[in-house]
Amino acid sequence: MTEQDFAVPLEAPRYYEPDPSYRERSWIGDYRAAYQKYLEDPGEFWRTRAAEIEWFEPFDRIMDWDFPYAKWFLSGKLNITHNCLDRHVRDGRANKVAVFWRGEEGEEKVYTYSQLLRAVCRFANALKKIGVRKGDRVCIYMPVVPEQIVAMLACARIGAVHSVVFGGFGVGALNQRIRDSGSKVVVTADVSMRRGKAIQLKSIVEEAVVNAPSVEAVVVLRRDRPKVELHSEMELDFDELMENEPAVCEPEVMDAEDPLFLLYTSGTTGTPKGIIHTCGGYAVGTQYTTKYVLDLKEDDVYWCTADPGWITGHSYVVYGPLLNGSTVFVTETTPDYPDPGIWWKIIQNYGITVFYTAPTAIRMFMRVGEQWSDRYDLSSLRILASVGEPLNPEAFEWFYRHIGKDRCPIVDTWWQTETGMHMITTMVGEPMRPGFAGRPIPGVVVDVVDRDGNPVEPGNGGYLVLLEPWPAMLRTVYKNDERYRKYWTTINRVYTATDLAVKGHDGNIMVIGRADDLIIVAGHNIGTAEVESALVSHDAVAEAAVIGIPDPVKGNQIKAFVILIEGHAGSDRLKADLRYHVRMTVGPIAMPSEIEFVDSLPKTRSGKIMRRVLRAKELGMDLGDVSTLED
Ligand code: PRX
């Protein structure tokens, strides 16, 4: 995408005004006043936020900035699980539900705060027993089950660095992530459930740990009956391992700047980036935003539909809500199984009050029609939220009317794996402008600039940048500090999000999309290079180029252009074979929906594929500047 790819909206802005009671009862109160207060004294602002969590030892400085490296809450000591669990159990939430889980067939599991704490301690002790120490990496490759959350928190309890890999990734992607992180243990399950079918996760892990010499043990949650066999000595049973462990495990005392987790996100090269988040800043950032942006209150029953395998799941299924002592609903359920009414049935039956989902899901529901949501009582809902890609005005309006019943504010949150926490939104109680994510939250300073870093005039497009460090920011890219520095050096010493945006005359920001070779498909970031390298690893493929083309539901879909090796003929069968190959290598989310066999690809003189040209041709657009085009 380039700056010219979008039209600046010219029509007079239309706002949706929430009922004044929302602002009166919100944690944020008056957004403008809160933002002003931050600007007047940023240090004091973050000191107050940091005081909302408990520290074993107080920090002695708020922040050190040594461009482009920030350290937050220096010398402060804490453990995020003490803040997520112990303090709530101590302070009267012991019997409050922490996690409601629902499986695809309606089966349920419930964990109160005290039960969750005990489970986490048991698994933490089990990890210790098999040799996991502070600083070791543990890969978690699981379906959305409560044990996934237990495993994450158990790592954090003992200071091990978790690297959660989304359960929809294939062998190649998993192997790459295990190897890059040097994970000592992999925690998995035998199967994950999808639309009534069991997907064999364990067999994917078996293949992915070949060639991954760092792995000493694979812990398997056995859900299926009869239980799958554990093959090698390396494989251990999740439940048995926990069973005999004590339900008490003292939290490791972590420095604010110790790593908490790493999470891989797709990059523009074939290698994903291991984004590093740290204990102190991440805890403060997610506690703050969950409370003030999602506006969670003591009695809320909160549902975020993200998988904990992505950053949204880390920050707003697991850490943020638990830091706030909230009740979280999680489910393995897909939105259309057994029918497209299932999510609305869940909202009715569990009395969900705050509902956080993605535009791709909203558009899917729009397409099947409101007759599905109309069957259920959605009156428990108080706040709606969205993340992952632009929430287009049509989807905003449908969500507002048919789910929120013209009553619930929609909080469209813009942020990234790298930012760790919300950055831009329309705070609860503020007027909402469809198509625009909103304004920076207090604590965040943003702008829209040209390539040289000069602010663009309101109404014009440019690059979205962040001007000040924030506590939950990534600290580096694992084993690739140069890549980290690039975030801050591409444009004039500010953080470049690599998103294109327009700043409206009213100060609201509209996020348009990526400015690089990432494609967002159904809210998931896919690197073109990752798919291309999967394609060329197939015997029949000489070269491949991948582009995103617009899709009314998924936002984008993937189209691949493939040059075959001499002697191979393009056929439908080969197309199916290539799609399967990508599915197995990268995962189902990266499968091209269309494949075209071609004889050549447009390249620059230096041999770089010009995806922009392929895309323009595909969509019948102006080719733009092609002076560097060789072929
Ligand atoms: O392009 C933006 C888009 O998703 C990218 C970040 O993807 P990821 O790191 O996978 O994190 C997704 C969940 C935070 C951004 O660079 N994006 C995310 N939220 C929005 C968005 N685009 C527009 N509006 C949003 N609310």
Side-chain angles (χ1 to χ4, degrees), residues 478-522:
Y478 192 58
K479 295 196 299 198
N480 193 350
D481 199 51
E482 199 183 313
R483 182 61 194 80
Y484 169 74
R485 296 180 68 86
K486 232 175 117 180
Y487 284 104
W488 290 92
T489 51
T490 302
I491 297 177
N492 204 12
R493 293 168 81 88
V494 292
Y495 175 91
T496 309
T498 330
D499 272 353
L500 295 166
V502 178
K503 191 162 63 177
H505 293 275
D506 58 1
N508 273 305
I509 289 172
M510 169 191 264
V511 180
I512 307 291
R514 299 290 306 179
D516 60 7
D517 289 331
L518 285 188
I519 308 172
I520 303 188
V521 182

Side-chain angles (χ1 to χ4, degrees), residues 510-556:
M510 169 191 264
V511 180
I512 307 291
R514 299 290 306 179
D516 60 7
D517 289 331
L518 285 188
I519 308 172
I520 303 188
V521 182
H524 303 316
N525 264 353
I526 317 272
T528 47
E530 223 171 337
V531 184
E532 288 162 2
S533 68
L535 284 166
V536 296
S537 72
H538 188 281
D539 291 343
V541 177
E543 272 191 82
V546 154
I547 59 167
I549 51 178
D551 179 276
V553 175
K554 295 179 175 174
N556 290 289

Side-chain angles (χ1 to χ4, degrees), residues 231-296:
H231 298 309
S232 57
E233 278 201 355
M234 223 186 174
E235 294 183 350
L236 306 164
D237 180 82
F238 191 103
D239 293 320
E240 282 166 25
L241 207 57
M242 267 174 88
E243 233 161 48
N244 300 318
E245 293 301 324
V248 176
C249 171
E250 282 307 307
E252 189 74 33
V253 176
M254 304 296 287
D255 187 83
E257 281 297 314
D258 279 337
L260 173 64
F261 65 82
L262 69 92
L263 180 59
Y264 286 91
T265 184
S266 293
T268 49
T269 66
T271 329
K273 297 172 282 187
I275 303 298
I276 295 275
H277 284 289
T278 50
C279 295
Y282 181 80
V284 172
T286 52
Q287 144 92 34
Y288 159 51
T289 46
T290 305
K291 178 170 169 181
Y292 289 82
V293 175
L294 298 172
D295 198 40
L296 289 192

